[in-house]
Amino acid sequence: MTTDSGTGKRPPVSLRTEALEQLLTERGLIDPKVMDGIITTYETQVGPLNGAKVVAKAWTDPEYRRRLLKDGTAAIKELGFSGAQGEHIVVVENTATTHHVVVCTLCSCYPWPVLGLPPSWYKDPAYRSRVVKEPRTVLSEMGLDLDDDVRITVHDSTAEVRWLVLPERPAGTEHLSEEELVPLVTRDAMVGVAKVAAP
C-alpha cells in the first residue's frame, strides 16, 4: 500500500488515479485522448443522469410512462439511451403500497446506459445475499424505512434482463417541469434503495 511519507496515510483516490494515469501515459500504455473520451462518456452520456431523464419524462408524460412500463428498452431508446448492458431493461414502478428493489445475486449486472457503473455496495456480497432474504432490514440499514404494509419485491438482474425502478414522484413537485425534476432523481432511487426527496 502506498502512503504519504509525511503522514503515513494514503493519498486521496483522485491523486492516486492521476499518478497512475501519468505513469501509464509515460509508458505508452494508454492514450490520454482515449482516456478523456471514456471519462466524458461516463460523465455525460452514460450514467444516472440518463436514468433521471427517463424518470422525469415518465412523471410528466403519462403516455411515455405507459410505454416505459410496457417495454422499458424501447422507451428508454426513444430518449437516445442504449448500448452495452442495456439491451433488455425492464422497468417497475414504486407506489405507496409496492416497493421494488434491484440486486444482482450472481455478480453485478446493471443497466449501464441509464445508471452508469454500479456502486461498490451493489457489488458487495453482503448486499447481494441479504437483500433477497431480508430486504426490509437491508433497506432500513441503508436509510429507507418502509411501513409494514408496503409490499417489497426484489428483482434479480441477470445478463439477459436488467431492471430499473421508476420511483414515486414526491409530493409537492406537481408544479415542477420535466427539466426541474431531473436533478431530484438519484441513482439509489432508481435501484430502489432510496426514495426521491422533494426539493
Side-chain angles (χ1 to χ4, degrees):
M1 172 170 57
T2 305
T3 59
D4 182 293
S5 56
T7 65
K9 296 181 181 178
R10 295 179 77 177
V13 172
S14 59
L15 291 179
R16 296 197 316 263
T17 303
E18 189 177 327
L20 179 60
E21 181 181 358
Q22 183 177 354
L23 180 64
L24 293 172
T25 300
E26 288 172 0
R27 294 191 178 176
L29 299 173
I30 62 168
D31 181 339
K33 290 180 183 176
V34 172
M35 288 300 297
D36 289 343
I38 292 170
I39 291 167
T40 298
T41 295
Y42 278 92
E43 286 180 340
T44 64
Q45 299 171 25
V46 176
L49 177 61
N50 294 350
K53 290 176 180 177
V54 169
V55 169
K57 183 161 185 65
W59 282 348
T60 57
D61 182 341
E63 184 55 31
Y64 179 76
R65 177 181 158 277
R66 186 192 64 75
R67 293 195 306 275
L68 182 67
L69 294 173
K70 183 178 180 182
D71 185 345
T73 308
I76 289 167
K77 195 170 185 178
E78 287 178 31
L79 301 186
F81 310 134
S82 62
Q85 313 302 320
E87 295 89 351
H88 188 188
I89 300 174
V90 175
V91 179
V92 288
E93 183 177 27
N94 280 349
T95 69
T97 58
T98 302
H99 188 87
H100 300 275
V101 62
V102 180
V103 66
C104 177
T105 55
L106 294 177
C107 52
S108 57
C109 293
Y110 197 72
W112 291 9
V114 285
L115 292 184
L117 298 174
S120 57
W121 58 260
Y122 185 83
K123 299 180 278 185
D124 189 279
Y127 172 79
R128 288 168 27 210
S129 63
R130 290 186 61 224
V131 77
V132 174
K133 298 175 189 169
E134 46 183 349
R136 195 173 302 275
T137 301
V138 171
L139 292 175
S140 180
E141 290 170 1
M142 296 181 82
L144 177 59
D145 291 309
L146 298 171
D147 292 338
D148 290 340
D149 60 348
V150 174
R151 192 186 74 189
I152 301 173
T153 303
V154 180
H155 299 277
D156 194 356
S157 276
T158 66
E160 287 78 32
V161 179
R162 286 168 171 79
W163 298 84
L164 178 71
V165 174
L166 174 59
E168 282 184 88
R169 182 173 178 168
T173 61
E174 295 77 17
H175 64 288
L176 298 180
S177 68
E178 183 179 327
E179 293 74 22
E180 292 171 319
L181 289 166
V182 169
L184 303 181
V185 184
T186 65
R187 174 203 63 206
D188 288 2
M190 293 181 283
V191 176
V193 298
K195 287 192 174 190
V196 176

